[in-house]
Amino acid sequence: MSHRARPRLALRLATPQQTPAAGDPRWAHWLTEAELAYAHGLLRAEEHLSARKLAKEVGWDLLGWPYEPPWQDMEIRRRPGAAPVLHLGGEPAPGTRGHGTARPGVSLAHARGYAAALAWLPSAGAGPHFPGAAT
């Protein structure tokens, strides 16, 4: 029986009191136009907006990068019938190379004004990884 390293996990929760209104201009800083359009097309947009922001935060934290997340270079994408995926684009911030290249998995939840995001790093060899990254 092989012993695989357990994935590292991170979880964040936002209460209704911590979540800005759907029309708050800060969402445009934290989320991409596609994320904003998706969330604003749903009931309880604040919950969907908040879950996406939290997913970006926990994914960034798991990568161990000490800088503010590059909000517009990160996007939570979801195809119909599929789980959400944290897409990382653009170039890594200066000084972040070598801090890890595995793509965090994400799970989002929201109900009654609350939002949560869970992120994990897959075990070694379990993929997925960033394109072009050394494995």
Side-chain angles (χ1 to χ4, degrees):
M1 182 153 117
S2 74
H3 294 293
R4 294 178 111 175
R6 289 188 158 212
R8 293 189 308 158
L9 301 172
L11 174 68
R12 290 232 175 123
L13 174 70
T15 66
Q17 296 80 13
Q18 295 169 313
T19 303
D24 192 299
R26 292 177 288 178
W27 292 119
H29 173 71
W30 296 323
L31 303 178
T32 66
E33 288 183 24
E35 290 170 314
L36 292 169
Y38 175 81
H40 283 289
L42 300 169
L43 294 175
R44 301 182 326 271
E46 289 90 351
E47 293 175 16
H48 295 273
L49 294 164
S50 185
R52 278 155 179 72
K53 178 182 181 281
L54 293 172
K56 289 180 176 189
E57 289 175 352
V58 293
W60 190 249
D61 287 349
L62 279 183
L63 292 172
W65 294 342
Y67 308 98
E68 179 179 3
W71 298 108
Q72 297 300 313
D73 287 335
M74 302 171 74
E75 186 172 68
I76 302 301
R77 296 181 181 174
R78 183 165 185 249
R79 292 186 192 151
V85 174
L86 175 59
H87 175 79
L88 299 167
E91 290 295 316
T96 62
R97 292 201 186 277
H99 282 273
T101 57
R103 181 190 312 257
V106 294
S107 182
L108 286 63
H110 41 78
R112 297 186 178 194
Y114 291 85
L118 171 70
W120 63 92
L121 287 176
S123 298
H129 295 275
F130 298 135
T135 55

